[in-house]
Amino acid sequence: MKKTRLTIILLMILTLVSAIITLCMGAVRIPVQDTLSILLRHLFGTDTGTSVSVAFEQIVWQIRMPRIILGFLAGSGLALCGCVMQAVVQNPMADPYILGVSAGATLGATGSLWLGVISGFWAFVGAGGACFLVLALSSADGKTTSVKLILSGMIVNALLTAFSNFIIAVAGDSDGMMSIKFWTMGSLTRAGWKNIGPIALIVLAAAVFFRTQAQTLDGLMLGEEAASTIGINTFRCRLVYLLVLSVLTGALVSVCGTIGFVGLIIPHVSRAIAGTAHRKLLPIAALSGGLFMLWVDAIARSLIPNTELPVGIFTALVGAPFFVYVMVRKKYGFGGN
């Protein structure tokens, strides 16, 4: 437990330092001392005596700060989703995408953007609908198993992704569809102080809830029969967990678009550090996912001058080598195997 606490403290320090550094990065480079002066003034009301231009203050506090917070929340939320889904279906390849939840949220948001209505609510509806379809298909014969959940998720994911692509293909508004295409590859450009609060509440509530379910998640990792033997109602747990995950995923997708790979790679990296016990795994995964997203977003908006690339591209490019490394490690296991 002492090692876990030290790891969490280290990750928190790295997150704080990374947030300050990435606030300085972007199309406009801002000196560290100016960034610190802006933060101290807005957070603590401290006047350092440093003269900072109005443009720098607007960039740091109104544009980059909400974006960094949203990126951290998105990374943390997706990492939590991956940890829980991998336990629920006892599959190391599970994440919000393989079970179709993200595809449902994407379809809801894409359709609403095409129709010109508010996308956030419909992303929730799409995620919930996808969750319902997966559960209905996997329990069609009266018994739900992890294999049926995965197969049902793959079917729903393929179907809903096809509908989203169809909307993009037939839409007449080329400018609107280009923004949707950019958004479906993951983007934090919609970050603002107005949408930070609701996302933070949802991510925090999900994190607290799943932290209380750590022992049950450990039991689910043992397999269907073993979990039932120790008194876990696997169907009810999966239903509740998937509903919570659909709300969390829908909230993130409605603001950030579809950011892949985070929910797949971060749980494995965290499991290699913390082990398979979810009491230790969940907080480390949440912090690691947030830290990962801070740097991915910084690279996406700094790599090419005056051009911002979708963060989803970099989560795959950066995540794939890490995943290969973790996968080939001889000491690494999943669910104790």
Side-chain angles (χ1 to χ4, degrees), residues 23-230:
L23 275 171
C24 304
M25 299 172 63
V28 178
R29 301 278 177 163
I30 299 176
V32 176
Q33 61 269 24
D34 289 351
T35 300
L36 289 174
S37 178
I38 294 168
L39 290 177
L40 289 173
R41 185 181 304 117
H42 281 278
L43 294 175
F44 305 106
T46 304
D47 188 358
T48 60
T50 304
S51 178
V52 181
S53 70
V54 175
F56 280 4
E57 186 149 359
Q58 288 291 320
I59 291 171
V60 170
W61 189 252
Q62 297 297 334
I63 298 175
R64 291 184 183 172
M65 192 64 181
R67 181 172 182 141
I68 282 176
I69 295 174
L70 179 62
F72 180 82
L73 292 172
S76 297
L78 291 171
L80 285 172
C81 286
C83 286
V84 175
M85 284 193 171
Q86 288 167 14
V88 166
V89 300
Q90 300 106 45
N91 190 303
M93 299 302 293
D95 71 346
Y97 297 90
I98 198 171
L99 291 184
V101 178
S102 289
T106 301
L107 176 60
T110 302
S112 64
L113 288 172
W114 180 36
L115 297 173
V117 296
I118 299 174
S119 60
F121 169 75
W122 292 105
F124 279 111
V125 173
C131 178
F132 174 78
L133 284 175
V134 170
L135 289 172
L137 286 173
S138 62
S139 60
D141 62 350
K143 183 180 180 181
T144 303
T145 65
S146 59
V147 174
K148 289 181 181 178
L149 272 173
I150 294 173
L151 293 175
S152 300
M154 293 176 67
I155 294 170
V156 171
N157 180 65
L159 179 64
L160 300 184
T161 300
F163 278 119
S164 296
N165 291 333
F166 175 78
I167 292 174
I168 294 173
V170 303
D173 182 2
S174 59
D175 293 336
M177 286 305 103
M178 282 302 297
S179 65
I180 289 178
K181 286 182 180 179
F182 188 85
W183 178 80
T184 54
M185 290 185 283
S187 173
L188 299 177
T189 56
R190 301 177 70 188
W193 288 114
K194 291 183 179 180
N195 55 24
I196 290 296
I199 298 296
L201 287 175
I202 291 172
V203 173
L204 180 61
V208 172
F209 170 73
F210 286 125
R211 180 63 177 79
T212 64
Q213 302 296 306
Q215 190 172 356
T216 302
L217 290 169
D218 291 342
L220 289 174
M221 288 281 282
L222 299 175
E224 191 83 24
E225 293 184 1
S228 299
T229 301
I230 59 177

